[in-house]
Amino acid sequence: MNTISAHASNDTRASDPERTARDLGVDPRLFLGGRRQDGSAGQTIVVENPATGAALTEVASATPEDALAALDAADAVQESWAATAPRERGEILRRAYQILTDRSGELARIITLEMGKSLDESRGEVAYGADYLRWFSEEAVRISGEWKVNAAGTARVLTMRQPVGPSLLITPWNAPLAMPARKIGPAVAAGCTMILKPAAQTPLTALFLAEALAEAGLPEGVLSVLPTSDAGGLTDALFADDRLRKVSFTGSTEVGRMLLRKSADHVLRTSMELGGNAPFIVCSDADVDAAVDGAMLAKIRNNGEACVAANRFLVHADVAEEFSAKFADRMRTLRTGDGSEPGVQVGLLIDAAQRDKVAGLVADAIAQGGRLVTGGSSPEGTGYFFAPTVLTDVPANARINSEEIFGPVAPIRVFHDDDEAIRIANDTEFGLVAYLYTQDVSRAVRLSERLQTGMVGLNRGLVSDPAAPFGGVKQSGMGREGGSTGIDEYLETKYVALAV
Ligand code: NAP
């Protein structure tokens, strides 16, 4: 078998990879239409543990031919799957939620081992990701249509909602359970079949999820999970086949743009959850202690490797000194290390490239005149650490203001009035989320309305919630996941004109 590393820095073989994967409770073969099989080219992908930089295990790598076989399976059952009782689809999701919840400890360990964040973070992700399955188990039975009299009174307007059809779901490594669950939940609820292509760096969690869904009763053919070392080749084969009807992507804006262009050829339905550059605004009337608590959540959750991570801290001059000092004190006391060790609060970044990118952004901010308050370097160790960092006086032209950091680094800038805060906050191609701390209700409303983002965290450093519509504007994407509209991404509206 040929082995391909998903991590740029590592090309060693894992010792007894099959045994390691099975010890972790994961079948390392492809989940192709519900059947387990090796990739048709016999290749594998090395999965690395970011804490050690060493190979953890290997999983099968799917080829374009495997992808087309998965599409055959999806297409063959699409009609019968769409015709299943909504309650049945909902109960499959509910049972899968329960399986993930019951096996939370096991699954959290897998997430930490392949992705690097702390066990606490991983347990939080299991709860959050599983909750999307529970949420959509409840939405499956609420798909509704409409009955209307037309304006002239001469006809009746009947609308119904039908599944879009076979869908390609592409997900990133930073939330290897929650991102697939946020797509599979609504797709199952709506009656779509699907092919999930997880990130090559974190395939174990996705394969575990597939097993849980199969155990919960998901029929064969409805779902395939295809890790691959050839993302472009595999997805191109699917884009070229007009049986594919939808692509739902979470990942970088750069790849999202490219997938949108490819989607145009067969006019696919698209949902795009892309990059972010969230401003975290602290007004002069904010409760500074509450703002510091929120800042810790918005910055440190998921090691800072989150699309919703606060990227730019904008603080009013009146409270800048107090906020910066208190925030830096909290950042300084965080315990970093191997995420699988008890008590570690900030684990490893995903790989050497990400660590070096974070280090480069910090170095540039300092070179442009920014002042380092705490952190700023990679502590000694073999893993991909970066110390929690606070920078103040970061000038506007520093790269860190326009690029997604994806690490535990907080650059602070000072503003003097609301207009200036809004101008800086909106000065980005991204528009996913903004955080706003103020105790003045009118200001909260005015500023929330002026922020060019899909979500606003108002006096709250956390917006992710299965009950809420998650998504961005501008180049942060299109479509919403979760909430009462999340299922719409997987449904088409059909209208029947009735003569009377
Ligand atoms: P990425 O490089 O865009 O990769 C995301 C997924 O796309 C992976 O499965 C990747 O596969 C696949 N991919 C890469 N190139 C492809 C190609 N040419 N054709 C088809 N698929 C391709 O992003 P990432 O570095 O994994 O994730 C970080 C990004 O995700 C950040 O920008 C973050 O903001 C964003 N994100 C957004 C949200 C949101 O909801 N808005 C949530 C989480 C993350 P490989 O693994 O094989 O490269």
Side-chain angles (χ1 to χ4, degrees), residues 117-128:
K117 64 191 172 195
S118 72
L119 273 175
D120 271 359
E121 286 281 353
S122 296
R123 275 191 284 269
E125 185 185 339
V126 175
Y128 173 59

Side-chain angles (χ1 to χ4, degrees), residues 202-412:
T202 54
L204 298 172
T205 306
L207 290 167
F208 188 105
L209 173 60
E211 291 288 347
L213 284 154
E215 195 183 323
L218 194 70
E220 281 197 359
V222 173
L223 169 71
S224 289
V225 176
L226 304 181
T228 182
S229 55
D230 178 17
L234 182 138
T235 55
D236 278 354
L238 293 171
F239 277 110
D241 190 315
D242 63 9
R243 292 173 298 171
L244 186 74
R245 291 311 319 140
K246 174 173 176 92
V247 60
S248 175
F249 172 73
T250 297
S252 61
T253 294
E254 188 189 351
V255 174
R257 280 189 204 108
M258 190 193 64
L259 295 176
L260 279 169
R261 284 192 281 269
K262 290 187 182 179
S263 302
D265 285 346
H266 286 132
V267 193
L268 296 183
R269 278 279 298 271
T270 54
S271 305
M272 293 281 146
E273 297 288 353
L274 309 177
N277 181 3
F280 187 105
I281 304 170
V282 184
C283 297
S284 54
D285 59 38
D287 173 339
V288 172
D289 291 330
V292 170
D293 287 344
M296 293 301 293
L297 256 182
K299 184 69 256 181
I300 290 305
R301 192 163 155 258
N302 222 48
N303 292 349
E305 292 172 307
C307 53
V308 286
N311 213 58
R312 297 169 293 153
F313 288 81
L314 312 179
V315 187
H316 192 277
D318 290 353
V319 289
E321 212 177 303
E322 181 188 357
F323 175 85
S324 306
K326 287 181 169 171
F327 184 30
D329 281 348
R330 292 276 295 277
M331 292 282 273
R332 208 174 273 124
T333 57
L334 287 170
R335 200 173 145 209
T336 57
D338 179 341
S340 58
E341 283 172 14
V344 165
Q345 291 162 295
V346 181
L348 295 316
L349 297 180
I350 185 74
D351 56 23
Q354 184 57 29
R355 180 196 54 199
D356 296 347
K357 178 191 163 194
V358 172
L361 289 175
V362 170
D364 173 73
I366 293 170
Q368 303 294 331
R371 195 170 61 82
L372 183 66
V373 183
T374 186
S377 61
S378 301
E380 289 300 306
T382 51
Y384 308 125
F385 294 96
F386 200 86
T389 297
V390 175
L391 298 156
T392 54
D393 306 325
V394 176
N397 59 346
R399 276 169 45 217
I400 207 163
N401 289 318
S402 53
E403 294 181 30
E404 208 176 10
I405 304 168
F406 247 53
V409 174
I412 299 177

Side-chain angles (χ1 to χ4, degrees), residues 141-153:
V141 293
R142 317 227 183 284
I143 300 167
S144 60
E146 212 177 28
W147 171 271
K148 278 200 311 203
V149 179
N150 75 338

